Amino acid sequence: MTGNFKITLAHLKELGACRTGQREFQKAFPDGGEYQEVLDRCAKEVRIDFGLWLLAHVGTTEDVRVYEDAVNSPGEYIMFAGSVEFKAGANVRFLAAGGDIEAGRGIKAGGDIEAGRGIKAGGDIEAGRGIKAGGGIEAGGDIEAGRGIKAGRGIEAGRGIEAGLGIKAGGEIKSVLGYGIYAGVGVPVKDWYRFAVVSAKAKPEYLLSGHWKPLEGTDAQTT
């Protein structure tokens, strides 16, 4: 499937879109619209809720959007149905992709960074809100999020990892060269057990803050 896939009102109804979403879609695209065209419109009008709903219900496309030059647009919202590749780095407001997100340098977003598959950067990965990936998250530098960090596979940073809330990985959470892993930096210590939970296949070696809780269904170490 590609981003040219046509979405119609009837299709949205089949997917279970709310009535408000149906009305707004019909107003903007009375004859239907191409999948990526609709996502671009959502990004332009900052309808992140509906855009993420579409990505979750329509799915990932085979398309790849490549940015040859560095993207320095702190106010820009990017929502893409396929994979996004930044040859250099990116500084945007919000970034979401149905597939992978990759950057030769760092990735920075004032809001969230979300990928249906993996997120990989040669430099830092930094989000003012959350970082979420269906696959793994890998950075050559630091990984920092104002809220939580969640990955379906492992999380690996070339330096440290810091989250305002919790950190969860389907694989291992690793920082190298002795850099620390800090969860819950945005909440009081007394609330760590609720809001700063760290879960993975094994307890991270350099976990310095946060409430460790073994990942359900694994034999993760508890010491």
Side-chain angles (χ1 to χ4, degrees):
M1 182 174 69
T2 69
N4 293 330
F5 176 77
K6 188 73 174 288
I7 295 177
T8 63
L9 180 60
H11 187 203
L12 287 183
K13 289 180 179 179
E14 290 177 3
L15 293 175
C18 66
R19 291 190 176 183
T20 299
Q22 291 179 33
R23 286 196 299 269
E24 292 189 10
F25 175 82
Q26 189 173 27
K27 181 179 179 180
F29 300 96
D31 299 318
E34 295 181 355
Y35 185 17
Q36 187 55 52
E37 180 186 15
V38 178
L39 287 176
D40 289 338
R41 183 70 172 265
C42 288
K44 182 179 180 180
E45 298 186 359
V46 195
R47 286 308 308 267
I48 304 306
D49 53 346
F50 190 61
L52 291 177
W53 185 92
L54 275 179
L55 283 172
H57 287 78
V58 179
T60 306
T61 68
E62 302 169 0
D63 305 296
V64 178
R65 179 182 287 180
V66 179
Y67 293 84
E68 296 289 346
D69 300 319
V71 177
N72 186 19
S73 302
E76 183 176 0
Y77 290 74
I78 296 176
M79 303 190 77
F80 193 67
S83 296
V84 178
E85 180 180 354
F86 300 96
K87 294 293 185 180
N91 178 13
V92 296
R93 176 61 184 173
F94 175 90
L95 175 58
D100 297 301
I101 297 174
E102 295 189 14
R105 298 178 187 171
I107 302 172
K108 181 178 181 179
D112 298 296
I113 300 173
E114 297 193 17
R117 294 200 288 258
I119 302 173
K120 184 177 182 180
D124 300 334
I125 299 176
E126 180 181 350
R129 290 169 62 90
I131 301 173
K132 182 179 179 181
I137 300 173
E138 182 179 348
D142 297 311
I143 299 176
E144 299 183 11
R147 294 191 176 181
I149 302 173
K150 184 177 181 180
R153 296 183 181 176
I155 299 173
E156 183 172 350
R159 291 196 295 267
I161 300 173
E162 181 179 307
L165 299 176
I167 305 172
K168 183 176 182 180
E172 296 184 353
I173 301 172
K174 296 181 180 180
S175 61
V176 301
L177 303 176
Y179 283 87
I181 298 172
Y182 302 86
V185 299
V187 295
V189 175
K190 66 181 179 65
D191 292 325
W192 276 5
Y193 75 99
R194 287 194 297 166
F195 303 116
V197 175
V198 179
S199 295
K201 288 185 66 175
K203 186 176 181 178
E205 182 178 3
Y206 300 115
L207 181 61
L208 300 181
S209 77
H211 178 74
W212 168 248
K213 182 179 180 181
L215 194 65
E216 293 184 10
T218 70
D219 296 324
Q221 64 189 48
T222 58
T223 58

